[in-house]
Amino acid sequence: MIWFILIVIVLIIVFKFINDLNKDKYDLQGTALDEKFKVVVNILNQGAFNGNGNITKLGNRSFNLYEQGSNQIINFHYGTGTLTITWRYKYFQKEVVHSKDFYETRNLSIFEQQKIAEQMINEMVPIVQNHKTNVMKDIM
């Protein structure tokens, strides 16, 4: 009896995962990922790279935002309705990484996208400042 219950639970989880992946395919069918989250990309591009960042597509579900010669890179990854933004900042050959998952991002409004971008910037500013301070302490 226990085996039956475990098998049913596993089948439900697998079905839900496959269903979410199919929803992702449908979401991205007519729109590229960077277009789906255009407001987030534009705000982060402006905040991190003064609007000079470029997009490098890594696949249907991920891309990088960076500026040539810059010491930072922002990775966007989308899967099963979750947007993961990973921001890497390098200072004197030491890197700090900040990653955040945003759930239920299939149909975001402009305001929700603004909120995501502003949240990432607001979280990253003190992380960068602390990182610079720590690196300078190690150097001296």
Side-chain angles (χ1 to χ4, degrees):
M1 183 66 175
I2 293 174
W3 286 104
F4 177 73
I5 293 172
L6 288 174
I7 290 172
V8 168
I9 291 172
V10 167
L11 287 175
I12 290 171
I13 291 170
V14 167
F15 176 76
K16 182 170 178 6
F17 181 73
I18 291 172
N19 190 35
D20 284 347
L21 286 178
N22 285 334
K23 286 181 184 178
D24 287 351
K25 278 185 187 176
Y26 179 75
D27 283 348
L28 299 174
Q29 195 170 31
T31 307
L33 186 61
D34 58 305
E35 286 296 317
K36 180 174 180 62
F37 297 107
K38 186 175 186 169
V39 174
V40 176
V41 172
N42 288 339
I43 293 172
L44 290 179
N45 186 11
Q46 195 62 42
F49 308 109
N50 293 320
N52 296 320
N54 298 309
I55 293 172
T56 301
K57 294 184 181 184
L58 304 173
N60 288 342
R61 297 172 190 254
S62 67
F63 66 90
N64 287 336
L65 175 65
Y66 74 101
E67 179 182 8
Q68 188 69 30
S70 177
N71 58 341
Q72 56 189 334
I73 188 168
I74 304 171
N75 175 264
F76 293 75
H77 181 78
Y78 181 69
T80 62
T82 301
L83 175 65
T84 302
I85 301 176
T86 305
W87 194 330
R88 298 174 181 273
Y89 184 87
K90 193 177 275 192
Y91 187 70
F92 282 110
Q93 302 304 314
K94 294 190 180 194
E95 186 176 61
V96 66
V97 178
H98 178 58
S99 186
K100 182 133 183 132
D101 292 330
F102 297 94
Y103 302 101
E104 304 298 326
T105 59
R106 290 194 193 285
N107 298 310
L108 295 177
S109 69
I110 292 172
F111 300 111
E112 291 169 321
Q113 288 193 40
Q114 285 176 325
K115 186 178 175 183
I116 287 172
E118 290 168 0
Q119 182 177 354
M120 281 301 293
I121 290 170
N122 290 336
E123 289 178 9
M124 196 61 181
V125 167
I127 290 172
V128 167
Q129 291 301 332
N130 288 337
H131 179 63
K132 286 180 178 181
T133 302
N134 291 336
V135 168
M136 291 308 289
K137 284 179 186 176
D138 290 344
I139 291 175
M140 300 191 163

